[in-house]
Amino acid sequence: MLLAGFVVHRQAGRIGSRAVSYLVSQWNGELVARMDSQDLMDFTTDRPESRFVGDNRTIKWPDTLVYLARPEGANHDFFLLVGVEPHLLWKGFVQDLSAYADAAGVKTLVSIRGFPATVPHTRPTPVQVTASDAELSARFGHQAQRSAYEGPIDILGVLAAVGQEKGWQTADLNVLQPSYYPRMRNAAATLAVVSLLDKAFGTSTAIESLEIAAGQQLATLEENAPSGDEFQSTLRELERLYDEARDKSEFLGTATGSELPSGTEAVDAIERLLRGQGGTDPEPGE
């Protein structure tokens, strides 16, 4: 099985890669493959990073990394893929990656993404799930269904299409982050993904650090929230829309983008109020 998350340039675009990176650390993943970024990236857009290892400076390149792990509770191995969405040569990249995974025995791909949405930070992070077939869908619950989306797709969508041609099962986990979320890691989003994967595949992943971080981040958001009735009223409106969508089972798989709870005006109001309190604009990919 292959679990994959790429950094992409949009708000909430790091959620997938951070969730998979957390699994690498908790499942003691062993690096087994590296796809060099030299011909795939525009380094003026995604620059390499300078790091120190002891007293020595090293360069961290935006390569695609594949790890192998067998977590507690699992009866098979997992390949864990983390990378930055390439700028160039997508066809060759996906052909090489899918050929490597197929030769290693991969028959299932789970893609993990994050999207901004009209959901409140005061509710559990929702995850939409779509799957290629009923067997895989059943692992995530009866709500998961096959995607009917047509249109532009990201690198994971291309990988899934090629994988299906090879006979793979595929599933998409789309994590919905509040569109007004400030520029910081979203531990609640990672917690939602990890908990869902544990439930689907019988793994047992330590989540205590995520729970602590999510609580601290929630407290930070509450501390920085504007005082007064305007903020509270707009937040309550988002909560009402969220609860209605949850009651209609529009999370965990059945909602399309157009069916998400409509709360644009409430989100705009919260963003304006938070910025007025010194909040920061979310960074693309944050």
Side-chain angles (χ1 to χ4, degrees):
M1 182 174 299
L2 174 62
L3 307 182
F6 282 90
V7 175
V8 296
H9 281 276
R10 64 165 174 264
Q11 187 180 345
R14 293 181 182 269
I15 283 177
S17 65
R18 284 176 174 161
V20 177
S21 294
Y22 183 82
L23 294 176
V24 169
S25 66
Q26 295 299 314
W27 293 358
N28 297 315
E30 175 189 359
L31 182 64
V32 293
R34 179 190 300 267
M35 299 187 71
D36 194 288
S37 57
Q38 176 63 36
D39 297 324
L40 301 171
M41 306 298 296
D42 173 4
F43 293 126
T44 64
T45 301
D46 282 292
R47 297 179 182 273
E49 297 179 359
S50 174
R51 301 285 180 85
F52 277 99
V53 177
D55 295 329
N56 299 319
R57 183 185 298 275
T58 63
I59 301 299
K60 179 183 178 182
W61 297 93
D63 296 337
T64 297
L65 307 178
V66 180
Y67 298 84
L68 181 64
R70 175 162 297 190
E72 181 180 348
N75 57 9
H76 58 79
D77 293 334
F78 285 80
F79 286 95
L80 307 172
L81 183 151
V82 183
V84 178
E85 185 177 66
H87 301 129
L88 306 167
L89 303 177
W90 278 29
K91 284 186 178 180
F93 174 80
V94 169
Q95 287 170 358
D96 290 345
L97 180 57
S98 61
Y100 171 84
D102 200 58
V106 168
K107 296 301 178 185
T108 303
L109 166 67
V110 177
S111 303
I112 305 169
R113 303 175 179 84
F115 292 98
T118 49
V119 294
H121 68 276
T122 51
R123 293 289 190 268
T125 301
V127 182
Q128 293 178 322
V129 181
T130 57
S132 61
D133 57 76
E135 179 185 354
L136 183 56
S137 177
R139 289 180 173 267
F140 294 100
H142 68 281
Q143 292 175 316
Q145 63 178 11
R146 188 181 183 91
S147 174
Y149 172 78
E150 293 182 324
I153 56 175
D154 59 13
I155 195 70
L156 283 172
V158 178
L159 179 59
V162 173
Q164 288 178 14
E165 292 175 356
K166 296 178 179 293
W168 296 4
Q169 296 176 316
T170 64
D172 294 313
L173 308 188
N174 297 323
V175 188
L176 306 184
Q177 173 175 282
S179 17
Y180 58 85
Y181 205 84
R183 185 173 142 184
M184 64 180 181
R185 294 173 181 265
N186 188 341
T190 300
L191 178 61
V193 171
V194 172
S195 298
L196 185 58
L197 291 172
D198 277 351
K199 179 179 179 181
F201 300 116
T203 52
S204 179
T205 309
I207 58 173
E208 291 80 6
S209 63
L210 290 176
E211 292 174 328
I212 293 172
Q216 292 172 338
Q217 290 170 358
L218 178 61
T220 297
L221 288 172
E222 296 296 332
E223 289 172 3
N224 293 328
S227 58
D229 295 336
E230 185 178 2
F231 173 79
Q232 292 301 322
S233 63
T234 52
L235 182 59
R236 296 292 89 78
E237 174 64 9
L238 283 184
E239 291 175 338
R240 182 186 68 80
L241 294 167
Y242 175 102
D243 292 341
E244 287 181 356
R246 179 192 57 200
D247 292 342
K248 294 176 184 177
S249 296
E250 289 182 350
F251 295 140
L252 286 177
T254 62
T256 66
S258 61
E259 294 168 337
L260 291 173
S262 176
T264 303
E265 292 182 0
V267 169
D268 289 345
I270 288 179
E271 288 177 341
R272 175 171 50 80
L273 290 165
L274 287 174
R275 290 169 186 164
Q277 292 289 317
T280 58
D281 292 336
E283 180 182 78
E286 191 66 26

